[in-house]
Amino acid sequence: MLNIQVLNDKLEVEKGTKFETLAKKYQKYFKSPILLAKQNNRLIELSNTIQKEGEIIFYDISHMEGMRVYHRSVSFLMIKAIKEMLGKKASVVIEHSLHKSLYCEVRESNVTVNQKFLDELTEKMHKLVERDIPIQKYAFYREEAMQKVREFGMENKARLFRFRRASNINLYEMDGVYDYFYGYMVPSTGYLKKFQLMLYENGFLIRFPDRKNPDRILEFTDPEKISGVFMEQMKWCTLMGVNNVADLNEVITDGKFGDLVRINEALHEKKVAEIADKIYQKRDKVKIVLIAGPSSSGKTTFANRLCVQLRVLGIVPHAISLDDYFINREDVPLDEFGNKDFEDINTLDLKLFNDHITRMIAGETVEMPHYNFVTGKREYNGEYGTLEKGGIFVVEGIHGLNDLLTASIASENKFKIFISAMTQLNIDDHNRISTSDSRLIRRIVRDNQFRGRDATTTIAGWDYVTRGEEKNIFPYQENADAIFNSATIYELSVLKQYAEPLLFKIDQSQSEFVAAKRLIKFLDYFLGANGDAIPNNSIIKEFLGGSCFKV
């Protein structure tokens, strides 16, 4: 017998008991079906058996780890249904996440994705759910795994397996269909009752339950501008001939990595110049450019590159730091956990900021504040600001797209830019790369390089960072006049060499181990590449070091 603890219960269970069996006894304490277990700081599928003593924690869809399992499992359900409808080699691609949904495209020339098709697909998926088909994991030798996925038309996975160092590869099986997934699955299709398919662009969205209200499908608000950026990035990937990690690895082995970097950076520069041109076309009206985006998007480098392009057009940019408009630290509002919320918009003296900008636009000169981060108070040191003819203010900060920040400034005087690293490169056709994970890897490297923080500290604070983004940034992204995608196709091949040693330092006893293990496995798909070809004005240099800008 094994001594374990679940919630506040201490009990004995027989060695070899399934986690799923134990989960059923505690289901009454959860709002939605339990999907995953954690023991000794390792995530464990419910289909596994209990082999060790220690506390067991169960996750349902309300926890991010549970939601990842649900997304992945419903994706497999959809793929199985597609292959039943169109044949075992039929191709469907999970392109990217959009407003917490997954955008998918069917890549069969004789198939039109319309409402009739989606209705049939939905019915097929629900029938598979009703059958409660087991989802089982099997280990194959690498060559066998490559042969198996080729049977189902998954050539991109077979090419990816060439670069795997492990001799064995785990494939999941659902009623005769085999596939490879990065992460864990539910035990059977009966767990997957809640989902909805919706026509979108050239394909369809898989919509999922609301984490806070799991009985309801999350409401979908169409982020048209963000969707347009993803579609543009898909074209960029095609232009560069790199749509997945296998393509990227082959570019590296073929000695063409430098060419890929140069093309990607040229596309970035072209986009920055296009945004500068839009501002120039409105130069008689626009007096302030507001740049906002989530953590590790490369806002500072982008702002500097934009300023260079504006100067080329004869516009003189003046940078203003929102940090200097912080209220005194003692007055910072508290969040729901009773901690000072330094990312709340009310940490800024909005009245003073609006007064200063309005007066300077009108031609007045004002004394500029300076925030002392040591004392936590705003100071005045005799520095003055004004806006001369042909000038424009450039303001970078997380609240740039929120109209509360510039409530007293006329809309025609503002140009808003949203920047984020919206990764389009995927591991393969069915395993996408999370934009949040990409930004986290950037931040781990930067924090260690320039702020003396280890990966444990960065990961520990990431939930706080992302909560702030959900509250303060993403709700306003569609307010932008222009959107810049700062992701590069090549970056993870370079960043992995900096990030992996930091992640391997995290011990299993630390709570951050689960995230570190996920990131290590994720980075293992990539071949490492030398970053010498990356120019010193690249956004990636903001994280690696060696930027020509003060970042």
Side-chain angles (χ1 to χ4, degrees), residues 25 109 490 495 523:
K25 295 181 180 179
S109 58
Y490 66 81
L495 288 168
L523 289 170

Side-chain angles (χ1 to χ4, degrees), residues 235-385:
K235 293 178 182 177
W236 282 18
C237 288
T238 301
L239 176 67
M240 290 181 275
V242 179
N243 292 292
N244 52 54
V245 174
D247 289 339
L248 177 59
N249 288 344
E250 287 169 359
V251 165
I252 294 170
T253 57
D254 290 344
K256 298 178 180 178
F257 186 72
D259 290 339
L260 178 65
V261 170
R262 285 183 282 274
I263 294 170
N264 203 153
E265 292 295 335
L267 286 168
H268 265 191
E269 195 61 35
K270 184 174 185 291
K271 192 68 179 178
V272 175
E274 287 175 0
I275 293 173
D277 286 341
K278 288 182 180 179
I279 296 170
Y280 179 77
Q281 290 165 11
K282 299 180 178 181
R283 63 191 180 281
D284 293 336
K285 298 289 186 181
V286 173
K287 301 301 178 185
I288 182 170
V289 174
L290 299 145
I291 302 169
S295 173
S296 303
S297 293
K299 295 184 289 293
T300 304
T301 299
F302 170 78
N304 277 284
R305 288 173 69 167
L306 180 65
C307 286
V308 170
Q309 291 291 342
L310 290 173
R311 286 182 180 276
V312 168
L313 298 171
I315 297 173
V316 181
H318 298 277
I320 291 182
S321 173
L322 283 177
D323 289 356
D324 289 328
Y325 286 88
F326 278 140
I327 61 177
N328 292 337
R329 190 178 297 147
E330 62 197 38
D331 299 322
V332 171
L334 304 180
D335 62 17
E336 65 267 35
F337 304 105
N339 302 315
K340 287 187 179 295
D341 188 354
F342 292 102
E343 297 194 347
D344 189 285
I345 193 168
N346 293 304
T347 60
L348 296 170
D349 190 333
L350 300 175
K351 183 178 179 181
L352 182 68
F353 178 75
N354 277 266
D355 176 65
H356 280 187
I357 296 296
T358 303
R359 287 167 58 194
M360 286 189 287
I361 287 174
E364 294 184 38
T365 298
V366 301
E367 186 174 8
M368 305 296 289
H370 170 73
Y371 192 81
N372 187 325
F373 282 92
V374 176
T375 64
K377 295 183 182 297
R378 193 165 58 233
E379 301 172 347
Y380 290 88
N381 301 320
E383 295 180 16
Y384 291 85

Side-chain angles (χ1 to χ4, degrees), residues 28 59 67 118 121 123 136 150 154 192 212 230 260 304 318 322 344 356 426 449 454 484 550:
K28 61 185 176 183
Y59 294 136
M67 181 59 88
L118 278 197
L121 178 57
E123 182 181 3
Q136 297 177 304
R150 282 191 172 113
M154 303 173 189
L192 308 174
K212 295 180 180 178
F230 273 118
L260 178 65
N304 277 284
H318 298 277
L322 283 177
D344 189 285
H356 280 187
N426 285 327
Q449 293 273 88
D454 57 17
F484 181 79
K550 185 178 179 181

Side-chain angles (χ1 to χ4, degrees), residues 10 42 129 147 202 231 246 395 436 439 473:
K10 293 182 179 180
R42 286 186 179 273
V129 171
Q147 181 180 347
N202 302 317
M231 293 299 173
V395 179
S436 179
R439 290 190 293 109
I473 300 174

Side-chain angles (χ1 to χ4, degrees), residues 440-450 452-459 495-507 510 512 516-517 519-520 523 543:
L440 176 54
I441 289 168
R442 282 182 172 188
R443 182 152 175 161
I444 286 170
V445 173
R446 183 191 65 189
D447 282 359
N448 183 259
Q449 293 273 88
F450 306 113
R453 297 176 188 162
D454 57 17
T456 303
T457 304
T458 302
I459 292 172
L495 288 168
K496 74 166 284 180
Q497 296 166 101
Y498 295 80
E500 281 181 333
L502 303 174
L503 292 167
F504 275 114
K505 282 184 180 179
I506 299 177
D507 187 79
Q510 298 172 279
E512 294 77 22
K517 185 171 180 283
L519 295 176
I520 288 168
L523 289 170
F543 308 96

Side-chain angles (χ1 to χ4, degrees), residues 46-256:
L46 296 183
S47 55
N48 286 6
T49 58
I50 303 171
Q51 297 294 325
K52 296 180 180 180
E53 296 186 334
E55 182 183 13
I56 294 173
I57 298 171
F58 289 119
Y59 294 136
D60 66 359
I61 209 168
S62 65
H63 191 279
M64 182 53 72
E65 294 295 351
M67 181 59 88
R68 287 191 181 102
V69 169
Y70 199 80
H71 276 212
R72 194 176 299 116
S73 302
V74 172
S75 297
F76 193 16
L77 179 73
M78 179 273 294
I79 292 161
K80 161 67 176 171
I82 286 281
K83 291 186 179 296
E84 281 198 0
M85 289 171 61
L86 305 177
K88 67 186 295 186
K89 291 199 173 187
S91 175
V92 58
V93 181
I94 300 170
E95 287 286 358
H96 52 257
S97 175
L98 193 67
H99 200 266
K100 304 188 189 309
S101 301
L102 293 179
Y103 174 68
C104 312
E105 290 187 358
V106 177
R107 300 287 172 80
E108 296 293 326
S109 58
N110 61 336
V111 174
T112 300
V113 176
N114 51 27
Q115 192 58 53
K116 181 181 177 182
F117 177 88
L118 278 197
D119 290 344
E120 185 180 348
L121 178 57
T122 300
E123 182 181 3
K124 183 76 71 175
M125 290 172 69
H126 280 304
K127 285 183 177 179
L128 292 171
V129 171
E130 290 171 8
R131 289 171 57 192
D132 196 22
I133 301 166
I135 300 175
Q136 297 177 304
K137 184 191 294 184
Y138 296 97
F140 291 87
Y141 289 118
R142 184 169 56 183
E143 293 299 324
E144 292 175 334
M146 292 170 69
Q147 181 180 347
K148 180 62 71 174
V149 295
R150 282 191 172 113
E151 290 177 19
F152 294 91
M154 303 173 189
E155 181 62 30
N156 62 94
K157 292 179 190 280
R159 289 168 49 229
L160 180 68
F161 294 165
R162 283 184 52 223
F163 301 99
R164 292 300 306 276
R165 293 169 178 82
S167 57
N168 288 343
I169 292 173
N170 292 324
L171 299 183
Y172 285 97
E173 183 262 346
M174 182 193 297
D175 193 29
V177 172
Y178 288 82
D179 203 346
Y180 175 79
F181 288 92
Y182 153 57
Y184 303 105
M185 288 279 179
V186 296
S188 65
T189 59
Y191 283 77
L192 308 174
K193 293 181 172 64
K194 282 280 181 183
F195 61 86
Q196 190 177 98
L197 305 185
M198 185 180 92
L199 285 174
Y200 193 83
E201 295 286 352
N202 302 317
F204 61 93
L205 293 173
I206 306 177
R207 294 172 58 194
F208 296 94
D210 187 337
R211 282 177 58 189
K212 295 180 180 178
N213 298 290
D215 291 331
R216 293 167 41 194
I217 297 295
L218 182 67
E219 185 178 341
F220 180 77
T221 303
D222 190 1
E224 294 181 23
K225 294 178 182 177
I226 296 297
S227 177
V229 172
F230 273 118
M231 293 299 173
E232 179 183 57
Q233 184 74 357
M234 287 169 64
K235 293 178 182 177
W236 282 18
C237 288
T238 301
L239 176 67
M240 290 181 275
V242 179
N243 292 292
N244 52 54
V245 174
D247 289 339
L248 177 59
N249 288 344
E250 287 169 359
V251 165
I252 294 170
T253 57
D254 290 344
K256 298 178 180 178

